[in-house]
Amino acid sequence: MKELLRAAFVQFEKNQIATADAEILLAHLLGVSRKQIHSQGIELAEDGREKISAEYADLINQRLMGRPVQYITGSAAFRYLDLAVGEGVLIPRPESELIVDRVIGVLNNASDKDLAKAVIDLGAGSGALCIAIASEASLKGLKVSVVAVEKSADAALWLNKNIAKYDLPIRVVVEDVESALIDVKADLVVANPPYIPDDERLPAEVANFEPEIALRGGAVDGMAAPKQFIKAAARLLKPGGFFIMEHHEKQGELVRQAMAVEFSSVQTHADLTGRDRFTSATKR
């Protein structure tokens, strides 16, 4: 096993790919944790070693071709979750986890927190946000009913798969945010819209593999899609309802201006690297 890893490390370092990916791929292939692949307890017969070597070489080649490690393994970590992902759905990013912290904090600090709250996730993708919110709220004894809105049929397949995996009563609506849930009102809305400007250059593994529909927010400033999501949130929220949306680090001021039309207490929040990545507000 160590020889396989060393050879993979050399190839990945040469191609500026994180060597941790080589460990993740081997652990996935062996059905063990990354820590376990360094133990002395994994022994394979000769024919087993040959089979693993051939399969590992295939996974390494896929990664060298730019395919994201999450698509290769079919799995992406998000908070305490292990989400199924693949072509057609955006890979959840660690920075999005901060939205969950904010929402759980709002739910927990509500004066009427014993009452069930309606939560809508706009552009739900793999279900990272809505599943994390539903599961963590339940662990804290907070009552929520959750609806996930996703217009991409391809992404909705992964969304439904993940909801089923965690056995959560999340309703899925496959529709555009502009027309979804007419006459429905919610207490909280979360959103991670496409927001990257159309002409912004992306890493090859993102541009060539992840769905453009989940990435590109529009021409020039990338705000076309975020504005649609803000408008939808304003329509869906009850007066006093809470809204939080992820956005590009350069869009903070533009998002605040767009939200100010129908929201109060508009505030932009930084991610763990100090970049302005989220804006929250209260529906007037």
Side-chain angles (χ1 to χ4, degrees):
M1 296 301 106
K2 286 182 170 52
E3 291 79 7
L4 289 177
L5 270 180
R6 278 197 289 267
F9 283 171
V10 170
Q11 293 184 78
F12 280 12
E13 287 173 348
K14 188 184 301 183
N15 288 274
Q16 298 182 316
I17 298 172
T19 55
D21 286 2
E23 296 178 334
I24 292 169
L25 292 174
L26 185 56
H28 166 71
L29 197 56
L30 296 173
V32 301
S33 68
R34 282 176 62 192
K35 184 178 180 180
Q36 286 175 300
I37 63 174
H38 294 289
S39 71
Q40 301 299 317
I42 299 176
E43 294 184 7
L44 298 171
E46 183 63 31
D47 58 342
R49 284 199 296 272
E50 291 180 4
K51 181 174 181 290
I52 289 295
S53 296
E55 291 176 351
Y56 190 51
D58 176 60
L59 299 188
I60 293 300
N61 285 333
Q62 289 185 50
R63 188 69 190 95
L64 289 171
M65 292 295 290
R67 192 176 181 214
V69 68
Q70 294 91 341
Y71 283 176
I72 298 172
T73 63
S75 174
F78 187 82
R79 291 180 77 83
Y80 312 109
L81 306 172
D82 180 23
L83 299 169
V85 295
E87 278 79 1
V89 71
L90 189 73
I91 297 167
R93 269 58 169 182
E95 51 264 34
S96 301
E97 296 183 8
L98 296 179
I99 290 180
V100 181
D101 285 326
R102 293 276 176 182
V103 170
I104 295 299
V106 169
L107 290 168
N108 200 42
N109 292 325
S111 58
D112 58 349
K113 70 176 184 178
D114 293 334
L115 299 177
K117 300 295 188 298
V119 180
I120 296 174
D121 179 3
L122 297 178
S126 65
L129 291 178
C130 61
I131 293 172
I133 290 167
S135 57
E136 293 182 37
S138 178
L139 287 173
K140 292 182 177 293
L142 300 166
K143 300 173 185 177
V144 294
S145 62
V146 182
V147 179
V149 178
E150 173 55 58
K151 76 174 181 178
S152 165
D154 291 335
L157 292 174
W158 296 102
L159 173 60
N160 280 303
K161 185 174 183 177
N162 286 316
I163 290 170
K165 176 180 179 179
Y166 287 97
D167 193 24
L168 292 165
I170 298 174
R171 177 187 168 200
V172 174
V173 175
V174 184
E175 195 171 341
D176 191 277
V177 299
E178 288 190 307
S179 56
L181 304 173
I182 297 299
D183 298 327
V184 170
K185 292 296 179 184
D187 299 286
L188 293 94
V189 171
V190 300
N192 185 6
Y195 54 72
I196 299 171
D198 291 352
D199 61 353
E200 181 174 314
R201 188 171 181 178
L202 291 169
E205 68 180 64
V206 176
N208 295 339
F209 290 90
E210 295 194 69
E212 185 171 292
I213 191 175
L215 294 165
R216 298 296 187 184
V220 188
D221 58 12
M223 281 294 295
K227 285 178 178 177
Q228 291 176 344
F229 278 63
I230 292 168
K231 184 178 179 181
R235 169 175 60 83
L236 291 164
L237 279 167
K238 301 173 184 176
F242 179 80
F243 177 43
I244 184 165
M245 186 180 78
E246 184 171 331
H247 52 76
H248 196 291
E249 62 190 274
K250 296 179 180 178
Q251 292 172 338
E253 180 59 32
L254 295 173
V255 169
R256 288 192 296 274
Q257 290 174 5
M259 285 190 183
V261 176
E262 296 195 64
F263 291 87
S264 62
S265 303
V266 181
Q267 183 179 3
T268 298
H269 313 277
D271 64 13
L272 295 177
T273 64
R275 300 174 299 167
D276 289 343
R277 291 299 305 279
F278 316 95
T279 296
S280 62
T282 302
K283 177 68 169 68
R284 287 200 191 96

